[in-house]
Amino acid sequence: MNFLAKRVDNLEESATLAVTARAKALRAEGRDILSFAAGEPDFDTPDNIKLAAVKALREGHTKYTPVGGIPELKDAIIEKFKRDNGLDYERDEILVSCGAKHSFYNLCNVILDPGDEVLIPSPYWTSYPEIVKIAGGDPEIMPTSEKEDYKLNPGLFNEYITSRTKALVLNSPSNPTGTVYTADELAEIAQVALRKDVLIISDEIYEKLVYDSLKAVSIASLADELRDRVVIINGLSKTYAMTGWRIGYTAGPKEIIKAMTVLQSQSTSNPASMSQWGAVEALTGPQDEVEKRVGEFEKRRNAMVEGLEAIKDVTVVRPGGAFYVFANLSRYYWREYGGKTIKGSVDMAAYLLEEAGVAVVPGEAFGEDTSVRITFASSLEDIQEGLRRMGEALARL
């Protein structure tokens, strides 16, 4: 007897985690591997955040908390929205969960019925379609182009809307491309969503990691009528290097947040208590370390982009945010090495890992097979060495 549910038959393993695991396995064998695959900062969590969590532990904050988060953290999130986004929320419009991925999972499971469509621009974060499928929905992929900086335009958005369309997923700054939408671009998309009564899911997890004096704009802040048509997902993993702390949060209409809270009460319950107290310090404490790290990321971004552009037949869209470069290597496809043929991004990622000792994530996992995702959340020295290895490996094809 097959004891597995049908809904898991078509789920894909996280490509990012798979590549990272393979890179670690090769290192364990003694191989010199440079990994540009993981979606997390290489910096450590700032000390003031660690100390706040330690203080919470010593004071006995080790019990269950309210399912949706401690009041102090909800208030810190509310203040963050006022300060950074010009948005006003109340406690019952905020839910704290075990990471932004968990937030998106909760949201999809309370808004989607079987057959509901969720529109997702590609390239997309790998988990969006899979979580939509878990919730019983149908992910509908809208392909964007490198020529348009991988941005969704309102015409394409409108073209894909059907009577079954429930929501649009928008990620700015974007994983994997680093695309940052302007306020005007977001306003045009918002007007289509309002006209067609489509819920906007705005993933803003990388909002603080922006470069070239850009500012990440929250689409919910653009018009009063968007207040009840946008659900914001954010978290502390990327900005504060708190990936292992598992704190994400959602802001949106009360009825949606209430339903998500009920769902969470029957699954994970509250996020870890000490992580929540660390998150309070992250949001309310000094932000100078964040600014310093953003400056370092920008230097690394520049080095990565310039190095890739110097390699023959490689094209990139200069990312305005996040810490990834989406590099188009398709001109090297259908070339052979060692009796093998590189047919797409999966083969290319395997070639770079095995032959150059460089781990990247195949673009196929993000819905765009022409490219690979390369993180610049690594030291400048590793970036320069990785670029050298990549250039030599590609030149051999």
Side-chain angles (χ1 to χ4, degrees), residues 64-345:
Y64 292 130
T65 75
V67 169
I70 58 176
E72 292 85 351
L73 180 51
K74 285 195 173 189
D75 289 344
I77 293 168
I78 289 168
E79 182 56 35
K80 172 257 177 272
F81 276 118
K82 288 181 182 178
R83 179 182 70 239
D84 296 342
N85 310 108
L87 291 166
D88 291 311
Y89 288 101
E90 299 176 5
R91 285 183 182 175
D92 57 2
E93 296 173 308
I94 303 292
L95 171 64
V96 183
S97 302
C98 305
K101 180 183 286 188
H102 186 211
S103 300
F104 185 71
Y105 179 91
N106 282 341
L107 176 60
C108 287
N109 276 281
V110 303
I111 68 170
L112 297 178
D113 287 316
D116 285 343
E117 293 178 346
V118 177
L119 301 184
I120 304 172
S122 68
Y124 47 73
W125 176 50
T126 59
S127 292
Y128 290 144
E130 304 309 307
I131 291 175
V132 168
K133 288 189 287 185
I134 291 171
D138 295 329
E140 294 295 328
I141 308 304
M142 301 178 291
T144 63
S145 72
E146 185 178 4
K147 290 181 180 179
E148 294 183 340
D149 293 344
Y150 295 116
K151 290 183 178 180
L152 174 67
N153 65 63
L156 181 65
F157 176 28
N158 186 72
E159 178 185 330
Y160 270 79
I161 296 174
T162 72
S163 60
R164 296 195 296 125
T165 302
K166 193 69 166 284
L168 163 73
V169 177
L170 204 60
N171 181 206
S172 175
S174 163
N175 173 9
T177 65
T179 292
V180 180
Y181 286 81
T182 67
D184 289 343
E185 290 165 341
L186 291 173
E188 290 181 340
I189 292 170
Q191 288 306 307
V192 175
L194 287 170
R195 189 167 63 250
K196 295 298 184 71
D197 197 25
V198 175
L199 182 72
I200 299 173
I201 302 170
S202 183
D203 183 347
E204 302 176 8
I205 189 72
Y206 294 97
E207 70 166 336
K208 293 291 186 179
L209 305 182
V210 287
Y211 317 115
D212 304 322
S213 300
L214 294 175
K215 178 176 173 58
V217 177
S218 176
I219 194 169
S221 69
L222 297 179
D224 291 339
E225 58 265 37
L226 288 168
R227 185 68 169 64
D228 295 325
R229 290 291 180 271
V230 176
V231 177
I232 298 174
I233 291 175
N234 208 325
L236 284 78
S237 292
K238 315 301 182 180
T239 299
Y240 300 98
M242 294 174 65
T243 51
W245 296 63
R246 308 316 301 135
I247 295 291
Y249 56 88
T250 310
K254 292 180 182 179
E255 64 273 15
I256 292 179
I257 297 301
K258 181 179 179 180
M260 292 174 66
T261 304
V262 171
L263 175 63
Q264 185 163 300
S265 75
Q266 298 293 355
S267 55
T268 62
S269 296
N270 61 274
S273 56
M274 63 292 298
S275 292
Q276 292 188 61
W277 284 105
V280 171
E281 173 62 22
L283 292 172
T284 62
Q287 302 296 304
D288 53 321
E289 188 65 26
V290 173
E291 296 173 7
K292 177 182 175 182
R293 293 177 178 189
V294 169
E296 182 62 25
F297 275 137
E298 185 164 2
K299 293 177 185 176
R300 297 172 177 187
R301 187 278 313 260
N302 294 342
M304 183 68 82
V305 170
E306 291 166 8
L308 287 168
E309 288 178 337
I311 300 174
K312 182 182 178 182
D313 290 332
V314 174
T315 61
V316 298
V317 172
R318 188 178 184 85
F323 39 68
Y324 313 105
V325 175
F326 206 54
N328 188 331
L329 307 184
S330 61
R331 290 177 182 172
Y332 288 93
Y333 293 178
W334 301 105
R335 301 188 188 186
E336 296 184 356
Y337 74 100
K340 301 177 182 179
T341 302
I342 296 177
K343 299 177 181 179
S345 62

Side-chain angles (χ1 to χ4, degrees), residues 52-65:
V54 171
K55 181 173 182 288
L57 286 168
R58 289 175 173 165
E59 292 179 351
H61 294 295
T62 59
K63 309 296 184 182
Y64 292 130
T65 75

